Amino acid sequence: MLWSLLFTLQALCASVAHAMQHYPAAWGHYDVCKSQIYTEEGLAWDYMACQPEATDMTKYLRVALDPPNITCGDPPETYCALENPYMCNNECDATTEELAHPPELMFDFEGRNPTTFWQSTSWKKYPKPLQVNLTLSWNKTIELTDDIVLTFESGRPEQMVLEKSLDYGRTWTPYQFYATDCLDAFTMEPKTVNDLTQRTLLDIICTEDYSRGYVWKNDKTVRFEIKDRFALFAGPRLHNMASLYGQLDTTKNLRDFFTITDLRIRLLKPATGATMVDENNLSRYFYAISDIKVQGRCKCNLHANSCVFDKGKLGCECEHNTTGPDCSRCKRHYHGRAWSVGSYLPIPKGTCSINHPPPNPFSCLPTPPPPPPPYSLPFFALSSTARVCDNAMLRCQNGGTCHHHQRCHCSPGFTGVLCERARCQGPGECDDQLSGRAFFHHPPPIGRQLALFLILILIVSLC
């Protein structure tokens, strides 16, 4: 019986392992920047691509509204239900906590009863458009990993634009247009994300899926579909993540498409529930959002596996000799090779530089020391770093001093590589000057040549 149980467990483990290999987790999460391995030279570090874990990014944002006084409650207002113009029992009062609807309620914990939400003023200035810009800012580059989801407590807007910025709000580009009638609102043919292909994934479309028809109770959400766009490369259930990672590695426009510093939600026309606006009951028309979901991670260029929120700012904890909020430059003293973004490939660990594959994958190497300054050397010096003199074995003679190990500064009356010879001015003068002082006292002609030869041999051996 024991053997049969063991065989059953073995078969079960094999089937589980086979099933798991079809899921994205099998490709790795790139959550480790380095690990120790054993090589022929001994213990060494293996460096690989790494990135922080995806999380709820709404915990780290700042929200701004334009116009700033668009939130309801100042002065207090009473609102009517869109589906029933005679049900007017919803009050907004900014001075009472239970009746206030500030912007922070778009990002609080959902699941409470009654639901909390932000709410705008009513369309009391009709026919002037009721338009609101909601700007979400992170002061940091982030990468989106899941759908952006807006949950409306009122009817979904009849016209809306979702925009992104990659330069901290200086410039904006549209992500997607939303309307009950795309041709009428934006002169665009209506499309859905299912109409996109790998070649047209970056196209900006207008969709009627989240605006057309009066929907109050059944569906309150508006989406920007990130995962459906991933699926164009990775397959319907994101099984083939290697294909997606390969595209992200090689296509900068694709990486930038899913990268943001800010999001802007432009609410252009509230839900009306009909073709005509009831001018006698404008308190039925307003915007109300109960929840915004933005799932993503800090962009660290595959050089960090953690991102910290300190003093109101997000920042990567960089590895691989990199630094900066996005790990986008080399650390000081590590400019021996130009900085490079990491690479997801080869699966499953990647490398820490897309331009430098193993065995030396680093982009930021230690800066080499500067070359020594050039000196004026004797004509027989073999290189700019050859030692001609020092204070140990190659001492300058007769009061000479060694200058940077390259030459002797001789005292008056002496010359030579080590100041070993008297500077003779005429016949007989060398005998007087060297008497009792010279290193070589009256060497015979052959001996003097031999001494010079031995000095040159010593210099060459020390080089």
Side-chain angles (χ1 to χ4, degrees):
M1 181 173 179
L2 179 62
W3 284 107
S4 62
L5 179 62
L6 289 174
F7 283 125
T8 303
L9 288 173
Q10 184 180 12
L12 179 62
C13 291
S15 62
V16 169
H18 179 74
M20 286 182 65
Q21 69 183 358
H22 294 291
Y23 288 88
W27 296 113
H29 295 289
Y30 299 95
D31 54 354
V32 178
C33 296
K34 62 183 179 181
S35 63
Q36 284 193 311
I37 58 172
Y38 286 95
T39 66
E40 294 180 356
E41 289 77 22
L43 199 61
W45 285 106
D46 180 27
Y47 296 92
M48 57 202 78
C50 52
Q51 60 188 6
E53 186 178 356
T55 186
D56 176 13
M57 298 306 296
T58 60
K59 295 182 290 186
Y60 311 109
L61 59 76
R62 290 181 297 105
V63 59
L65 278 70
D66 182 31
N69 60 346
I70 196 65
T71 300
C72 70
D74 186 18
E77 264 189 278
T78 300
Y79 292 81
C80 300
L82 184 60
E83 72 273 22
N84 186 348
Y86 303 104
M87 188 183 295
C88 302
N89 56 0
N90 296 320
E91 188 177 355
C92 181
D93 185 349
T95 62
T96 305
E97 183 177 356
E98 294 79 8
L99 301 177
H101 297 286
E104 299 80 48
L105 297 182
M106 292 184 285
F107 312 104
D108 63 343
F109 173 72
E110 290 302 306
R112 290 185 292 175
N113 191 18
T115 303
T116 59
F117 53 91
W118 164 81
Q119 185 170 319
S120 74
T121 58
S122 65
W123 203 355
K124 54 193 173 186
K125 295 183 179 180
Y126 178 86
K128 182 180 179 181
L130 178 62
Q131 297 182 347
V132 184
N133 286 344
L134 297 172
T135 303
L136 316 182
S137 302
W138 284 269
N139 197 29
K140 169 78 179 76
T141 311
I142 66 172
E143 296 170 329
L144 300 174
T145 59
D146 207 336
D147 295 357
I148 299 170
V149 184
L150 314 179
T151 303
F152 285 83
E153 196 60 24
S154 62
R156 297 182 292 187
E158 293 187 1
Q159 294 178 16
M160 187 188 102
V161 184
L162 181 66
E163 297 177 327
K164 61 168 284 189
S165 175
L166 257 176
D167 54 11
Y168 305 95
R170 287 187 287 272
T171 60
W172 296 91
T173 56
Y175 245 160
Q176 193 153 288
F177 294 86
Y178 303 82
T180 54
D181 187 333
C182 286
L183 276 173
D184 180 61
F186 303 114
T187 63
M188 298 174 69
E189 291 285 345
K191 290 185 179 180
T192 70
V193 68
N194 296 325
D195 296 322
L196 298 175
T197 65
Q198 290 185 1
R199 295 175 61 87
T200 62
L201 183 149
L202 304 183
D203 286 359
I204 310 303
I205 65 171
C206 177
T207 181
E208 298 176 351
D209 278 4
Y210 303 103
S211 309
R212 176 179 287 174
Y214 169 57
V215 179
W216 179 260
K217 297 295 183 185
N218 296 330
D219 194 353
K220 302 179 179 181
T221 60
V222 173
R223 290 178 174 268
F224 179 68
E225 304 92 341
I226 296 291
K227 282 195 170 180
D228 286 344
R229 287 168 167 83
F230 285 167
L232 292 174
F233 291 105
R237 296 183 60 190
L238 305 184
H239 289 169
N240 188 12
M241 291 300 289
S243 174
L244 176 62
Y245 288 148
Q247 292 295 326
L248 292 172
D249 254 13
T250 57
T251 312
K252 183 179 183 300
N253 288 345
L254 186 64
R255 290 200 310 271
D256 288 348
F257 185 80
F258 298 110
T259 304
I260 63 171
T261 59
D262 305 76
L263 279 174
R264 186 162 66 184
I265 304 158
R266 295 179 56 207
L267 306 172
L268 303 180
K269 184 179 180 182
T272 61
T275 55
M276 301 292 292
V277 174
D278 182 4
E279 297 186 41
N280 297 319
N281 196 348
L282 295 174
S283 60
R284 299 170 59 194
Y285 311 120
F286 55 90
Y287 304 108
I289 300 177
S290 61
D291 189 47
I292 297 179
K293 283 186 170 60
V294 182
Q295 193 83 0
R297 64 167 59 91
C298 290
K299 179 179 180 178
C300 301
N301 288 295
L302 298 180
H303 292 311
N305 62 356
S306 63
C307 188
V308 295
F309 189 65
D310 184 35
K311 298 178 181 178
K313 284 188 175 183
L314 283 168
C316 302
E317 293 195 307
C318 301
E319 301 274 356
H320 306 154
N321 301 331
T322 63
T323 188
D326 301 343
C327 306
S328 57
R329 63 180 186 273
C330 293
K331 285 169 59 176
R332 187 181 180 188
H333 306 311
Y334 284 87
H335 295 276
R337 183 185 278 174
W339 178 89
S340 171
V341 65
S343 171
Y344 285 110
L345 304 177
I347 299 291
K349 297 191 301 181
T351 57
C352 58
S353 173
I354 199 169
N355 295 329
H356 306 288
N360 189 8
F362 271 116
S363 54
C364 297
L365 294 176
T367 305
Y375 295 109
S376 177
L377 301 180
F379 70 92
F380 50 76
L382 299 180
S383 74
S384 61
T385 58
R387 278 176 175 265
V388 173
C389 58
D390 57 27
N391 293 321
M393 298 183 64
L394 295 171
R395 292 178 179 272
C396 299
Q397 307 298 316
N398 299 305
T401 57
C402 184
H403 181 68
H404 293 299
H405 305 294
Q406 301 299 314
R407 63 182 302 174
C408 287
H409 287 179
C410 300
S411 301
F414 293 90
T415 187
V417 175
L418 297 176
C419 307
E420 75 280 358
R421 291 186 289 110
R423 191 186 300 275
C424 300
Q425 301 296 327
E429 288 189 15
C430 290
D431 295 343
D432 297 335
Q433 292 177 10
L434 288 170
S435 177
R437 292 186 299 164
F439 183 77
F440 296 104
H441 183 65
H442 296 292
I446 296 177
R448 180 176 297 177
Q449 294 174 5
L450 180 61
L452 288 174
F453 177 75
L454 290 175
I455 290 171
L456 289 175
I457 293 296
L458 181 60
I459 292 171
V460 172
S461 66
L462 288 173
C463 292

